[in-house]
């Protein structure tokens, strides 16, 4: 009778919670937490050690003024239409199809047509049929050639959003490694120079040399004008900036920070990307920062670059400063977002105030993917789980989707009752992209979000089976997490200094 009553109660609670739009069915005994560690110290919860969020970004006033001057002086008509068209094109753009993939598709089509008795079997007709289908089904990638007019459109469309994304990446380095003071920076695919402005806003006078590399002479000219307030003459707002059209390949000269923001996707082939990434890594003495659009294509491209650098570490074990993943991954295992049954892009969002052109009236958000690779030892930084989706705050509990150090995704439901007041309040003030200051107990490893561990529920069998079924029907998976004192954030490049 008691079991039947419990069953009826759990099913009623499950329906009531779902009807209110909250997924709050918690299974007793699943979560374990050791909240004795004083991981907060004397800091308030809203400033816990994992907070990395950056308030809404605003461009330096000098940059905003220069951009408005240059656009006002141009003779372009219907700029707003051009800006929207370029923005849509860049966001929906795919990577070029590799020759090997085209060959594979052609062989498959030829075999398919050969088996069809209704089609002519002459070699010429078969070839024409294959080419016709390939033209219709293959993405037609074209290299963008930035002349003076297109460069201005790109500035109006992407200067502020690119600045916001790069600022967020630099902010993570500065917050986690406050003692790091870079002196030199190289920007590959520099475009309008947003990386230079973001780096200067982050580290100020610490940076003494900026090397901007872009194949477009028109883009380099535009970036220089922006530095000089929109004119050809005058003193640059940021000193020590140099421009060149070709990437220096000599490994003798290295830079403290090397950046490629939205540039790798502009390269025509995987071989070109591989060569550029290897060159950029050779020229990196401390941090290599890579950013792309927050799409599946952009995320996959960055994961390929990440794996390329990590595999290079295995090939050169004698390297005194091998590379490791500084952000956003808390591990160096295959990305669980890509290996899931339904792959998703690992992306982040940064709010910003756009340049006040006539079509920019409201604050915007830049959605981007990033990977930051560093030289040094991965043991010198913490491996707290990364929050990979917006945090869902519900009455008396919080939902956090986490990428964990064991290489799995986990859906954690955190409550004050089961996890302690400190961790609960830390979770409530955390945001998408922050680190949650918890670790996974080795005796209770986290499991993938889609596969909850069968042996984790330690409750009475009858009640437990029902509770697990209700929780599963509501789409819930409860994390097994334990708070810990934060790892000491040492300078990952202290050996080099």
């Amino acid at each position: 009778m008691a079991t039947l009553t419990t069953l009826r109660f759990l099913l009623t609670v499950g329906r009531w919670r779902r009807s209110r739009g909250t997924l709050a069915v918690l299974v007793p005994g699943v979560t374990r937490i050791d909240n004795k560690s004083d991981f907060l110290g004397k800091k308030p919860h809203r400033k816990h050690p994992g907070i990395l969020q950056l308030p809404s970004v605003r461009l330096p006033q000098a940059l905003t003024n220069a951009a408005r001057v240059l656009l006002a002086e141009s003779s372009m008509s219907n700029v707003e239409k051009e800006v929207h068209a370029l923005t849509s094109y860049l966001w929906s753009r795919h990577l070029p199809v590799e020759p090997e993939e085209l060959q594979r598709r052609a062989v498959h089509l030829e075999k398919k047509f050969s088996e069809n008795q209704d089609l002519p079997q002459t070699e010429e007709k078969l070839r024409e049929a294959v080419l016709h289908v390939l033209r219709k089904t293959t993405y037609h990638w074209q290299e963008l050639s930035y002349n003076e007019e297109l460069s201005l459109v790109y500035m109006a469309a992407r200067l502020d959003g690119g600045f916001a994304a790069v600022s967020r990446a630099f902010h993570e380095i500065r917050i986690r490694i406050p003692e790091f003071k870079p002196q030199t920076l190289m920007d590959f695919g520099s475009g309008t120079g947003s990386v230079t402005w973001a780096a200067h806003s982050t580290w100020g006078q610490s940076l003494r040399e900026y090397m901007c590399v872009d194949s477009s002479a028109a883009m380099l000219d535009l970036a220089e004008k922006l530095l000089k307030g929109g004119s050809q003459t005058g003193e640059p707002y940021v000193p020590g900036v140099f421009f060149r059209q070709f990437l220096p390949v000599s490994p003798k000269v290295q830079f403290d920070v090397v950046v490629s923001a939205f540039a790798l996707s502009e390269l025509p082939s995987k071989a070109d990307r591989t060569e550029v990434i290897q060159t950029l890594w050779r020229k990196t003495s401390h941090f290599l920062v890579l950013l792309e659009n927050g799409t599946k294509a952009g995320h996959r491209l960055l994961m390929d670059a990440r794996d390329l650098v990590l595999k290079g570490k295995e090939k050169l074990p004698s390297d005194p400063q091998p590379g490791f993943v500084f952000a956003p991954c808390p591990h160096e295992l295959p990305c669980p977002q890509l290996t899931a049954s339904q792959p998703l892009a690992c992306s982040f969002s940064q709010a910003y105030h756009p340049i006040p052109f006539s079509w920019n009236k409201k604050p915007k958000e830049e959605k981007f993917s990033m990977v930051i690779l560093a030289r040094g030892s991965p043991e010198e930084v913490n491996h707290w789980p990364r929050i990979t989706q917006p945090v869902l705050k519900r009455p008396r509990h919080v939902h956090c989707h986490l990428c964990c150090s064991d290489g799995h995704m986990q859906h954690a439901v955190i409550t004050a009752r089961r996890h302690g007041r400190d961790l609960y309040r830390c979770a409530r003030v955390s945001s998408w992209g922050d680190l949650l200051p918890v670790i996974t107990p080795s005796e209770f490893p986290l499991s993938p979000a889609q596969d909850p561990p069968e042996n984790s529920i330690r409750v009475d069998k009858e009640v437990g089976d029902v509770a697990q079924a209700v929780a599963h029907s509501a789409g819930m998976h409860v994390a097994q997490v334990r708070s810990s004192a934060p790892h000491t954030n040492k300078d990952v490049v202290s050996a080099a200094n």
Side-chain angles (χ1 to χ4, degrees):
M1 185 67 180
T3 302
L4 184 59
T5 304
T6 303
L7 170 61
R8 194 175 294 115
F9 169 75
L10 286 171
L11 292 176
T12 303
V13 169
R15 287 195 296 269
W16 179 78
R17 293 293 191 188
R18 291 195 296 277
S19 67
R20 291 177 59 89
T22 61
L23 303 175
V25 182
L26 298 177
V27 181
V30 172
T31 54
R32 291 176 62 94
I33 198 75
D34 177 9
N35 213 34
K36 296 178 181 179
S37 302
D38 186 18
F39 67 94
L40 278 172
K42 295 183 179 180
K43 291 185 178 181
H45 297 91
R46 66 180 182 277
K47 294 183 179 180
H48 73 74
I51 291 289
L52 297 169
Q53 55 194 269
L54 184 62
S56 186
V57 172
R58 192 183 298 272
L59 269 68
Q61 192 59 46
L63 179 57
T64 298
N65 294 340
R68 298 183 71 178
V69 167
L70 288 172
L71 201 62
E73 292 178 349
S74 69
S75 58
M76 289 189 300
S77 60
N78 206 352
V79 179
E80 181 177 354
K81 181 180 178 181
E82 296 290 335
V83 166
H84 289 317
L86 180 61
T87 302
S88 298
Y89 175 74
L90 292 175
W91 185 256
S92 61
R93 205 176 188 203
H94 297 282
L95 296 177
V97 180
E98 296 297 319
E100 296 80 5
E101 176 63 16
L102 275 178
Q103 180 68 23
R104 187 192 66 79
R105 294 181 186 179
V107 170
H108 174 74
L109 288 171
E110 184 177 357
K111 181 180 179 181
K112 181 179 178 180
F113 291 153
S114 298
E115 295 172 353
N116 192 338
Q117 301 299 325
D118 298 332
L119 294 176
Q121 297 300 312
T122 64
E123 184 176 345
E124 183 178 353
K125 292 290 186 180
L126 195 61
R127 180 173 176 272
E128 289 180 357
V130 170
L131 290 177
H132 176 71
V133 174
L134 284 178
R135 290 192 190 99
K136 290 179 62 177
T137 59
T138 302
Y139 177 74
H140 183 55
W141 186 89
Q142 285 184 313
E143 184 176 0
L144 287 173
S145 179
Y146 286 96
N147 54 24
E148 183 177 351
E149 182 174 315
L150 187 57
S151 296
L152 277 172
V153 175
Y154 185 88
M155 177 200 72
R158 295 291 303 134
L159 177 61
D160 41 18
F163 177 89
V166 176
S167 296
R168 170 61 181 81
F170 289 165
H171 176 74
E172 173 137 353
I173 298 175
R174 186 174 65 84
I175 291 297
R176 293 175 59 184
I177 315 290
E179 57 270 36
F180 175 62
K181 303 293 182 183
Q183 297 183 8
T184 58
L185 178 143
M186 185 179 76
D187 179 15
F188 172 74
S190 56
T192 56
S194 58
V195 170
T196 295
W197 289 86
H200 184 265
S201 298
T202 303
W203 288 295
Q205 300 303 319
S206 168
L207 280 162
R208 299 181 303 178
E209 178 185 348
Y210 305 79
M211 177 67 71
C212 297
V213 181
D214 199 289
S215 60
S216 169
M219 275 290 196
L220 294 178
D221 183 58
L222 175 60
E224 188 171 8
K225 287 181 179 178
L226 288 170
L227 284 172
K228 296 179 179 180
S231 66
Q232 293 279 12
T233 59
E235 290 295 319
Y237 182 83
V238 181
V241 182
F242 303 92
F243 301 93
R244 61 182 299 168
Q245 283 187 270
F246 303 100
L247 181 65
V249 295
S250 173
K252 294 181 180 179
V253 179
Q254 289 189 321
F255 299 83
D256 294 333
V257 180
V258 177
V259 184
S260 173
F262 311 100
L264 294 177
S265 55
E266 296 295 324
L267 298 176
S269 68
K270 185 176 181 179
D272 291 309
R273 291 194 295 274
T274 298
E275 182 180 356
V276 166
I277 292 166
Q278 290 173 336
T279 301
L280 294 181
W281 180 243
R282 284 196 301 268
K283 302 198 74 61
T284 300
S285 61
H286 294 160
F287 288 101
L288 173 61
V289 181
L290 307 175
L291 293 98
E292 289 294 337
N293 287 338
T295 60
K296 291 182 182 180
H299 175 222
R300 188 176 295 275
L301 188 155
L302 293 182
M303 291 300 98
D304 289 343
R306 166 187 180 268
D307 294 342
L308 182 65
V309 172
L310 296 180
K311 289 178 181 177
K313 176 178 64 175
E314 297 173 0
K315 293 180 181 178
L316 298 173
S318 60
D319 190 344
Q321 280 194 307
F324 69 95
V325 181
F326 180 80
C329 318
H331 58 81
E332 296 183 355
L333 299 167
C335 177
Q337 297 278 64
L338 292 181
T339 56
S341 57
Q342 295 182 346
L344 299 172
C346 179
S347 60
F348 302 95
S349 180
Q350 176 58 50
Y352 67 95
H353 295 276
I355 301 174
F357 295 127
S358 59
W359 59 88
N360 285 337
K361 299 297 184 181
K362 299 179 180 179
K364 295 184 177 180
E365 295 212 358
E366 177 73 6
K367 187 179 179 182
F368 65 97
S369 293
M370 71 171 180
V371 62
I372 303 176
L373 301 160
R375 290 193 182 275
S377 173
E379 288 75 21
E380 295 177 354
V381 295
N382 65 58
H383 293 280
W384 291 334
R386 176 81 61 169
I387 300 175
T388 60
Q389 294 182 26
V391 175
L392 302 179
K393 303 172 186 177
R394 298 294 184 260
R396 296 186 295 279
H397 69 284
V398 183
H399 296 263
C400 294
H401 293 266
L402 306 172
C403 181
C404 304
S405 58
D406 63 354
H408 290 109
M409 300 298 299
Q410 183 70 22
H411 182 174
V413 181
I414 301 174
T415 69
R417 178 184 175 186
R418 287 180 171 81
H419 304 101
R421 175 177 172 272
D422 285 340
L423 184 61
Y424 170 68
R425 291 190 64 181
C426 284
R428 288 198 75 89
V429 299
S430 296
S431 301
W432 183 9
D434 287 341
L435 298 173
L436 195 65
V438 297
I439 62 172
T440 308
S442 57
E443 66 270 21
F444 296 101
L446 284 177
S447 62
Q450 66 272 21
D451 296 315
E454 295 180 359
N455 60 349
S456 62
I457 301 180
R458 302 184 177 184
V459 292
D460 181 75
K461 187 177 185 304
E462 294 82 5
V463 179
D465 292 342
V466 174
Q468 186 179 23
V470 174
H472 183 72
S473 67
M476 296 307 309
H477 301 290
V478 186
Q480 301 163 346
V481 291
R482 177 165 58 94
S483 67
S484 70
H487 298 250
T488 302
N489 272 342
K490 298 180 181 179
D491 189 344
V492 298
V493 294
S494 58
N497 293 334

